[in-house]
Amino acid sequence: MAPVNVTVTGAAGQIGYALLFRIASGHLLGPDTQVNLRLLEIPQAVKAAEGTAMELDDCAFPLLSGIEITDDAKKAFDGVNVALLVGARPRAKGMERGDLLEANGGIFKPQGEAINAGAADDVRVLVVGNPANTNALIAQAHAPDVPRERFTAMTRLDHNRAISQLAAKLSVPVTEIKKLTIWGNHSATQYPDLFNAEVGGRNAAEAVNDEAWLADTFIPTVAKRGAAIIEARGASSAASAANAALNHIHDWVNGTPEGDWTSMAIPSDGSYGVPEGLISSFPVVCKDGKYEIVQGLEINEFSRARIDASVAELAEERDAVKGLGLI
Ligand code: NAX
């Protein structure tokens, strides 16, 4: 089997550093798949990416068949099978939202065009760089020849954080938690849903039986975990974000476990009242390399209000990038 071409943007950044060694050791696609890494960086960071590549060489990973480093998106995405779009423009102090979206448009528009021009037929794209859902929308808009559903954004870190918080609350191993869902945007408005989740086969909201904890502790802790990590570590989540990116692609390609699902931000087909086309997080089951939204879940009033608020924020972001001519 030919090696799989995996492109990582922002390869010299902190998530990149936490991600590349695990991709090369088989945690992205499994222990039988050779990978060919393409590292895309801005010109000033190419040297640092070269340093990381030297370290990758020094690991002599049996599954790593090659590494290329470039600052040219066309080269980086030529023949790409898995694209991990990590590099993004962070919000600088005093930056307006419009400026942030515009700066990211300058990154994700040409990357979408390069994916459109050169990607392999089976390309799968995961956007990690924030604002992830809307950056994915921008890239997608500039890749009209790629099936829309191949553009996704990451809410798996939020999903994993929610599992961990719930397991700690109930003093159970994380493996007892199933069917957790993150709905909406990867932002402070995201909604981690326990009403459809299970703990040891039992409904999670019933097992918790504490609506105040749910509303005032659980949801804000999950939603604001990124800020808490920055506060404690002095730097934003890196290894956990890289781990979530691996989980997202691994499950998309290899399937979700029987009797469980995961959370992915994907283009809405209108399910659960989320306007078609918005890249919003849903419960999904993956099988045969494809994902499908889990249908028929009951959405109570508590959940509805929170899903609607997060989706409204996504619609606002979409309208803002539309207004800027980015999509
Ligand atoms: P770093 O600032 O450490 O690294 C970003 C790297 O991207 C830099 O090396 C920079 O040179 C590169 N870059 C910038 N523009 C580029 C371009 N046009 N092409 C290629 N590379 C480019 O950030 P890091 O901590 O690695 O975080 C990366 C992104 O992930 C940020 O946008 C961050 O907000 C986002 N996150 C998303 C998460 C999620 O759950 N979706 C969680 C973690 C993280 O906060």
Side-chain angles (χ1 to χ4, degrees):
M1 209 169 67
V4 173
N5 291 323
V6 179
T7 302
V8 178
T9 77
Q14 52 152 5
I15 294 176
Y17 195 76
L19 191 55
L20 292 168
F21 296 86
R22 293 190 63 197
I23 296 173
S25 57
H27 290 100
L28 183 74
L29 298 166
D32 302 318
T33 309
Q34 293 272 330
V35 292
N36 189 28
L37 279 172
R38 306 273 182 74
L39 315 186
L40 179 67
E41 259 297 350
I42 53 174
Q44 310 86 286
V46 161
K47 187 145 192 268
E50 284 170 357
T52 305
M54 288 162 72
E55 282 202 78
L56 284 160
D57 283 341
D58 293 350
C59 294
F61 285 120
L63 292 176
L64 183 57
S65 63
I67 314 173
E68 290 159 57
I69 303 148
T70 180
D71 59 5
D72 178 349
K74 288 257 160 19
K75 278 191 196 147
F77 292 116
D78 189 34
V80 63
N81 304 105
V82 176
L84 301 171
L85 309 189
V86 179
R89 179 69 198 273
R91 190 189 283 258
K93 226 180 182 161
M95 204 177 193
E96 297 291 336
R97 192 179 63 163
D99 298 334
L100 178 75
L101 293 172
E102 193 150 26
N104 278 294
I107 295 174
F108 288 88
K109 179 172 180 260
Q111 291 185 0
E113 289 166 348
I115 288 169
N116 198 52
D121 286 346
D122 70 346
V123 67
R124 290 180 174 85
V125 182
L126 168 61
V127 177
V128 175
N130 281 320
N133 303 51
T134 298
N135 287 340
L137 202 61
I138 295 171
Q140 182 198 49
H142 297 279
D145 303 333
V146 176
R148 285 154 56 94
E149 73 273 10
R150 305 291 184 74
F151 284 85
T152 67
M154 189 165 97
T155 51
R156 184 62 175 262
L157 178 55
D158 310 301
H159 178 97
N160 290 344
R161 285 167 171 166
I163 287 179
S164 174
Q165 291 298 323
L166 178 61
K169 165 78 175 167
L170 297 173
S171 307
V172 298
V174 288
T175 48
E176 290 286 294
I177 316 269
K178 307 263 189 271
K179 301 184 177 176
L180 189 119
T181 307
I182 303 292
W183 297 91
N185 199 2
H186 168 68
S187 77
T189 66
Q190 66 174 268
Y191 173 54
D193 177 4
L194 293 191
F195 292 98
N196 289 296
E198 291 176 0
V199 178
R202 188 166 165 223
N203 180 276
E206 281 167 26
V208 168
N209 193 24
D210 182 350
E211 199 156 307
W213 178 79
L214 184 61
D216 303 333
T217 304
F218 174 70
I219 295 173
T221 300
V222 173
K224 294 181 189 156
R225 185 73 166 175
I229 301 281
I230 293 174
E231 178 69 30
R233 206 173 86 87
S236 58
S237 320
S240 55
N243 179 64
L246 297 164
N247 293 162
H248 177 115
I249 295 290
H250 184 275
D251 285 359
W252 189 357
V253 172
N254 298 304
T256 41
E258 199 57 44
D260 200 1
W261 65 62
T262 189
S263 305
M264 289 168 67
I266 57 169
S268 176
D269 62 358
S271 294
Y272 297 101
V274 179
E276 206 185 329
L278 285 181
I279 296 189
S280 188
S281 189
F282 284 98
V284 298
V285 164
C286 303
K287 207 179 164 194
D288 302 327
K290 296 194 174 77
Y291 60 75
E292 249 177 50
I293 297 175
V294 177
Q295 297 294 342
L297 300 182
E298 200 188 309
I299 307 296
N300 63 19
E301 235 174 87
F302 182 94
S303 300
R304 187 76 261 167
R306 285 164 176 80
I307 294 171
D308 287 351
S310 194
V311 168
E313 183 184 55
L314 282 173
E316 265 175 44
E317 288 183 17
R318 178 202 50 201
D319 293 347
V321 292
K322 213 179 236 171
L324 291 165
L326 296 172
I327 61 170

